[in-house]
């Protein structure tokens, strides 16, 4: 069953200005040094979701409770391929857009935006789906009793 919530005045035909989109950081900033890019991207992800607390609807957003879960979450967000495969391929679009994740989940601008869509889906637990048409970013959160767990995010 889907619970689909379209915020008032939402019009997918109209592209509104979105500050989140401007936060993308490309590999070229690191002169093509992928190892450094990955290191800095991971550092930012850990800062956002491990060192600091991100809240959505009064509930903490978590990347996982163990180091292994957190790193698996990071890998899933920055790569594509079969979920349980060790052969996932790094995806530069996902790397670039990982910087939007925290803002879309918790910034006042995003929470008050009338252009994003949210809905819930029952699939291996209750999941909240979030889509920002302005940035093309899609987030899936697993809703637990007191916490949201990040399942994936990409554009």
């Amino acid at each position: 069953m889907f619970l689909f919530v379209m915020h008032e005045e939402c019009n997918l035909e109209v592209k509104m200005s979105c500050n989140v989109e401007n936060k993308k950081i490309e590999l070229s900033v690191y002169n093509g040094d992928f190892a450094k890019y990955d290191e800095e991207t991971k550092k930012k992800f850990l800062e956002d979701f491990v060192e600091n607390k991100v809240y959505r609807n009064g509930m903490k957003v978590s990347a996982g409770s163990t180091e292994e879960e957190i790193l698996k979450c990071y890998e899933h967000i920055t790569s594509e391929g079969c979920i349980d495969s060790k052969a996932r391929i790094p995806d530069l679009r996902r790397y670039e857009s990982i910087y939007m994740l925290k803002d879309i989940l918790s910034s006042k601008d995003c929470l008050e935006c009338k252009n994003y869509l949210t809905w819930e889906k029952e699939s291996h637990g209750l999941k909240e789906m979030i889509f920002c048409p302005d940035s093309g970013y899609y987030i899936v959160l697993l809703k637990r009793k007191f916490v949201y767990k990040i399942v994936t995010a990409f554009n």
Side-chain angles (χ1 to χ4, degrees):
M1 180 176 122
F2 289 93
L3 172 61
F4 187 73
V5 179
M6 185 180 278
H7 294 271
E8 286 182 33
E9 302 173 26
C10 182
N11 183 347
L12 295 178
E13 301 292 320
V14 178
K15 178 142 172 87
M16 301 176 73
S17 71
C18 182
N19 295 328
V20 174
E21 215 173 350
N22 298 327
K23 292 192 177 187
K24 290 182 181 182
I25 297 186
E26 298 178 352
L27 178 59
S28 60
V29 171
Y30 296 93
N31 298 316
D33 183 344
F34 183 76
K36 181 69 174 168
Y37 184 55
D38 180 58
E39 178 184 322
E40 291 299 317
T41 304
K42 188 181 295 175
K43 183 176 165 184
K44 174 67 174 146
F45 178 78
L46 295 174
E47 180 183 297
D48 285 349
F49 293 100
V50 177
E51 295 171 23
N52 296 310
K53 292 184 174 36
V54 175
Y55 287 88
R56 178 171 180 76
N57 301 326
M59 290 174 38
K60 184 177 181 225
V61 178
S62 171
S65 56
T66 66
E67 184 177 355
E68 182 181 348
E69 284 179 353
I70 293 164
L71 293 176
K72 187 174 181 177
C73 179
Y74 171 78
E75 179 186 342
H76 194 268
I77 291 172
T78 58
S79 62
E80 64 180 339
C82 185
I83 293 173
D84 295 324
S85 170
K86 292 187 182 214
R88 289 185 63 88
I89 301 166
D91 183 332
L92 292 179
R93 277 185 337 227
R94 288 178 173 224
Y95 271 91
E96 291 170 359
S97 60
I98 198 169
Y99 291 85
M100 296 188 288
L101 181 57
K102 179 181 176 185
D103 280 349
I104 291 174
L105 290 174
S106 65
S107 81
K108 185 177 180 192
D109 288 341
C110 288
L111 293 174
E112 293 178 355
C113 178
K114 296 183 183 334
N115 203 32
Y116 74 95
L117 307 169
T118 62
W119 66 98
E120 291 182 341
K121 177 182 178 182
E122 184 68 43
S123 172
H124 305 289
L126 185 61
K127 293 187 176 135
E128 181 174 344
M129 322 301 247
I130 303 161
F131 179 67
C132 173
D134 288 345
S135 62
Y137 205 61
Y138 180 73
I139 303 168
V140 179
L141 303 173
L142 180 59
K143 197 172 184 179
R144 301 282 192 196
K145 193 171 185 177
F146 299 108
V147 69
Y148 285 105
K149 181 168 181 323
I150 302 167
V151 175
T152 193
F154 57 88
N155 65 342

